Amino acid sequence: MVWLDAVSMQRNADRSNDLPRFFTESGVEIPSVTADQMREIDRIAMEETGPNLFQMMENAGRSLALMALDFLGREWRKARITVLAGGGGNGGGGICAARHLANRGIAVSLCLATERLGEVPAQQQGIFQSTRGKEIDPDHLNRTPADLIVDALIGYGLTDAPRGTAVALIGWANGSGTPILSLDLPSGLDAATGVAYGEAIRPQATLTLALPKRGLHPDRTGPLFLADLGIPEETYHRAGVAYTPPFGNRFYIPLVVR
């Protein structure tokens, strides 16, 4: 299984304090990006080449759901999953994953860190509301047991310590004793440096999107995976990033970090 293979590889990864380098299983190096570079890639995709934001969010959410199913293994049908989602693009990917999981009959609880969602995450929330999944208040989390927590609170745009409900949810997740799967990077970490401005999620694994972010140190992320957002090669080239699609016949792949 992809998940177990990556766990084994990550245990042997170099854990130095230098910026990590990222490779496929076959040893092909994958470029890493700063938050500013990722913003430019997103901009080019949305304004010039496609895919649009909803399409990228859908691809992120589907890959996140697939990875959650792989993590749960044979007992996935009996699982209970709590998805913690913010109001931005990262949260929208988490809400999308919650819908895909609920569509498969899994008991999914969605907890939003804010009522003010961006336009596209709000669309994802509207679709989720037609599933059997439940939206729950942060105050009710302790009454909602889970076998897996999905962290989709804060994406690569973080510039300061998490505040308000988001920091409370991070603390709850870390103290729950439940395995955590983070989307793009653990909430609370700086994408470029891996520094935590305040409290940050401590996940069992992280699914990063499109390209690995430079601050994704394995000590902070757990085993690291990369998801395909459907962005074409030309988009990366216009952003000045040397890129060859690494996914082969898969929609998410494990990364080796050195």
Side-chain angles (χ1 to χ4, degrees), residues 23-244:
F23 299 83
T24 66
E25 294 169 291
S26 61
V28 176
E29 186 164 7
I30 297 175
S32 61
V33 290
T34 65
D36 285 342
Q37 287 175 308
M38 196 64 229
R39 284 190 194 94
E40 179 64 3
I41 291 165
D42 283 343
R43 184 199 67 78
I44 293 169
M46 290 185 286
E47 296 180 7
E48 299 176 16
T49 64
N52 62 36
L53 180 57
F54 191 92
Q55 291 171 311
M56 288 191 284
M57 197 175 289
E58 187 70 22
N59 288 336
R62 182 177 60 183
S63 290
L64 182 60
L66 285 170
M67 187 170 167
L69 292 171
D70 282 346
F71 177 84
L72 294 165
R74 294 180 180 178
E75 299 300 313
W76 66 269
R77 290 178 179 83
K78 301 176 184 177
R80 300 159 298 180
I81 298 177
T82 296
V83 177
L84 308 178
N90 192 264
I95 298 168
C96 174
R99 183 235 308 165
H100 283 297
L101 294 165
N103 282 348
R104 280 146 185 83
I106 294 174
V108 177
S109 299
L110 172 64
C111 181
L112 298 176
T114 178
E115 295 180 357
R116 291 185 288 182
L117 302 181
E119 180 183 357
V120 181
Q123 290 177 312
Q124 292 286 357
Q125 181 193 25
I127 304 171
F128 175 80
Q129 288 170 343
S130 294
T131 73
R132 294 183 181 181
K134 302 181 303 179
E135 287 191 41
I136 62 171
D137 245 18
D139 293 341
H140 295 162
L141 282 169
N142 288 329
R143 307 178 205 168
T144 310
D147 301 295
L148 177 67
I149 294 169
V150 173
D151 158 40
L153 288 167
I154 307 169
Y156 67 74
L158 180 74
T159 57
D160 201 351
R163 301 175 187 275
T165 303
V167 73
L169 293 178
I170 290 170
W172 172 82
N174 286 340
S176 69
T178 302
I180 305 171
L181 170 59
S182 286
L183 180 62
D184 204 22
L185 71 164
S187 292
L189 293 189
D190 182 281
T193 65
V195 170
Y197 293 111
E199 189 161 13
I201 287 282
R202 298 190 294 270
Q204 272 58 54
T206 300
L207 178 69
T208 196
L209 302 173
L211 286 174
K213 315 309 177 286
R214 287 190 182 168
L216 292 176
H217 291 271
D219 285 342
R220 291 279 194 172
T221 66
L224 186 63
F225 299 78
L226 180 68
D228 181 13
L229 293 187
I231 298 173
E233 281 184 75
E234 175 63 19
T235 306
Y236 296 102
H237 296 164
R238 291 188 192 187
V241 177
Y243 177 82
T244 301

